[in-house]
Amino acid sequence: MVDTPMQASDYSYSLVIPVYNSQDVVGRTIDAVLDVFERAGLRHQVVLVNDGSRDASWDVISERARSSPHVVALDLLRNYGQHHANLAGMREATGDYVITLDDDLQNPPDQALLLIEKAMDGHDVVFGRFEQKQARGHRRLGSRVISMINRRVFNQPPGLAVSNFRILSRDVVERICSARTAHPYITGQALMFSSDPADVLVRHDARPVGTSNYGLRRIASLVLTILFSYSVFPLRAAAGVGFAVAGGSFLLGLFYLVRSLFVDSEVPGWTTIAVLLAVLNGFVIMLLSMLGEYVVRTLDAVSTVSSYHVARRVSS
């Protein structure tokens, strides 16, 4: 029996767009998305999630939501971060497939059709692999670091590129939405909850207006979130350092013990004792701090009902 090829027109699509301080460009992004999907003749829904913007972004997207039957706007109570905003949008989305993209036109909406075409081959998650990423050096370096962590923590397959420009099947979206975590990381969860991920080459344009809101602080925060919320790597690394320090201290103590049996010592040894206490106590404090971080995140996971709160919802 021959399987019937999947047709893009048989499915509906929800495009989730986190919005943060993008009043000058988000309107153009909405227009471009609607134009592409209307021309392609695909059933679509655009979910815009205002993530605590300090400018007039909410005014722009709420007005579009009132005037267009295809647009829904959510206003989060405060700034929670891109992955929380994506999760809020996914829970609002009704499409058979969900596409996530940025609000600044760096993910050209027409390239979403390439994601859809690849998904029609039967893949439940398809990431955009950028031909050439138009980003600053720290963004590219941060992407490489996060990619290394993804391979270790989420078993990202060799050769698979991941990005925030992706399409997810309804099954994967439901698994992500039902996961109980205070620190969502959509890319890693998509890898965990998919059975057949893939990527496709897409274009990445320069931001037409303004600069990226994703600085070094946000990249560092994301790295720490991944490591402490989804991995025991920091704890094991600290344990490894602890064993190394303990082994070195044992050898040093053995050396001084043997030396004292054959050589009369005229040095009181206060310096050695002080150094050893400083090293060992410093490591103990570091280890306790790491354990405390895991305890705090565990408490967040078991006590938090929702990792975000929606203040307003607007649709036509």
Side-chain angles (χ1 to χ4, degrees):
M1 181 178 178
V2 180
D3 292 337
T4 304
M6 298 172 64
Q7 299 294 329
S9 58
D10 293 337
Y11 302 95
S12 59
Y13 304 89
S14 293
L15 295 100
V16 174
I17 307 176
V19 178
Y20 182 69
N21 292 346
S22 300
Q23 63 178 17
D24 296 326
V25 70
V26 68
R28 293 162 58 182
T29 302
I30 299 169
D31 290 339
V33 169
L34 294 175
D35 180 65
V36 166
F37 277 78
E38 285 170 3
R39 286 178 179 272
L42 300 175
R43 289 174 290 153
H44 58 284
Q45 172 199 37
V46 181
V47 182
L48 302 155
V49 185
N50 181 44
D51 188 24
S53 297
R54 296 187 296 271
D55 62 4
S57 294
W58 171 249
D59 296 332
V60 175
I61 67 175
S62 61
E63 180 59 32
R64 294 301 179 93
R66 292 187 184 96
S67 60
S68 173
H70 297 289
V71 178
V72 177
L74 302 179
D75 186 26
L76 299 188
L77 191 62
R78 60 177 178 81
N79 177 248
Y80 294 94
Q82 183 182 35
H83 293 278
H84 293 81
N86 269 318
L87 180 61
M90 286 181 175
R91 286 176 172 159
E92 178 69 29
T94 59
D96 300 313
Y97 285 89
V98 173
I99 301 170
T100 64
L101 66 158
D102 294 339
D103 60 356
D104 54 10
L105 287 177
Q106 288 196 281
N107 304 143
D110 63 293
Q111 300 295 285
L113 300 180
L114 299 178
L115 298 179
I116 294 173
E117 182 181 354
K118 187 71 173 180
M120 292 303 102
D121 292 337
H123 303 289
D124 54 1
V125 172
V126 179
F127 297 96
R129 177 195 289 268
F130 300 127
E131 296 174 351
Q132 183 176 1
K133 192 166 186 177
Q134 304 293 330
R136 294 182 178 181
H138 71 272
R139 285 289 307 273
R140 292 195 294 270
L141 178 61
S143 296
R144 292 194 188 99
V145 172
I146 292 172
S147 181
M148 291 171 56
I149 296 173
N150 285 337
R151 296 186 192 285
R152 177 176 291 272
V153 177
F154 300 105
N155 296 318
Q156 179 181 330
L160 177 72
V162 300
S163 68
N164 291 329
F165 189 33
R166 62 211 158 205
I167 183 171
L168 307 95
S169 70
R170 173 51 55 182
D171 288 343
V172 175
V173 170
E174 292 296 338
R175 294 178 193 124
I176 292 174
C177 291
S178 62
R180 185 180 177 87
T181 175
H183 304 280
Y185 174 50
I186 306 301
T187 302
Q189 291 172 295
L191 290 169
M192 283 195 304
F193 298 140
S194 66
S195 60
D196 188 16
D199 61 37
V200 65
L201 202 62
V202 296
R203 194 174 75 252
H204 191 258
D205 291 347
R207 185 184 176 107
V209 178
T211 58
S212 172
N213 296 306
Y214 227 77
L216 285 172
R217 183 166 175 253
R218 285 178 176 265
I219 293 173
S221 176
L222 178 59
V223 169
L224 292 177
T225 294
I226 298 171
L227 288 178
F228 284 100
S229 299
Y230 296 93
S231 169
V232 294
F233 175 75
L235 192 60
R236 289 178 177 173
V241 173
F243 280 118
V245 171
S249 301
F250 174 77
L251 292 176
L252 185 61
L254 184 63
F255 167 77
Y256 280 114
L257 176 62
V258 173
R259 186 172 182 273
S260 67
L261 296 176
F262 299 98
V263 179
D264 292 334
S265 176
E266 298 178 355
V267 180
W270 293 110
T271 301
T272 301
I273 294 174
V275 169
L276 288 176
L277 286 175
V279 172
L280 293 175
N281 287 335
F283 175 74
V284 168
I285 292 173
M286 180 182 70
L287 183 58
L288 289 176
S289 298
M290 285 196 172
L291 288 174
E293 184 69 23
Y294 277 105
V295 170
V296 168
R297 290 179 181 268
T298 301
L299 287 174
D300 285 344
V302 301
S303 62
T304 302
V305 176
S306 177
S307 62
Y308 63 87
H309 296 279
V310 177
R312 289 173 287 184
R313 178 188 184 277
V314 175
S315 70
S316 62

